[in-house]
Amino acid sequence: MAMCPACNGLISSMRACDGCGQSLKIYGRIYDYQDDYSAYEEYDLTNETKSPTQENGCPHYVGCEACKSSYIYIFMES
């Protein structure tokens, strides 16, 4: 079974922001923001909705608290 480093708390920040150079913060999986209850659903249920381009990765919202920029970053699962 693949394991996402962001979902499992192995990393809490990542590369620098393209806009200001500050460290980006990981806000959570994009699936957790789809509806009111998706954050409480089992990981395997929300993982089934992945597109073929996200087959080996786990997409997360990441953002910069300094300049308020946000991005979607796909973490490779190992």
Side-chain angles (χ1 to χ4, degrees):
M1 181 173 168
M3 182 177 77
C4 171
C7 289
N8 289 287
L10 301 176
I11 55 174
S12 60
S13 64
M14 51 178 293
R15 66 185 180 99
C17 173
D18 294 338
C20 69
Q22 296 292 320
S23 181
L24 294 173
K25 182 176 179 179
I26 302 166
Y27 291 117
R29 296 184 315 141
I30 62 171
Y31 307 118
D32 293 346
Y33 293 90
Q34 288 178 342
D35 60 38
D36 293 341
Y37 298 102
S38 58
Y40 303 105
E41 291 179 357
E42 292 291 327
Y43 179 81
D44 291 338
L45 291 176
T46 57
N47 231 20
E48 291 175 359
T49 61
K50 284 185 176 182
S51 70
T53 58
Q54 299 168 346
E55 196 169 297
N56 294 324
C58 187
H60 286 257
Y61 285 118
V62 297
C64 177
E65 293 184 349
C67 70
K68 307 300 182 207
S69 298
S70 62
Y71 310 92
I72 294 177
Y73 186 81
I74 298 177
F75 289 92
M76 298 313 294
E77 297 175 332
S78 56

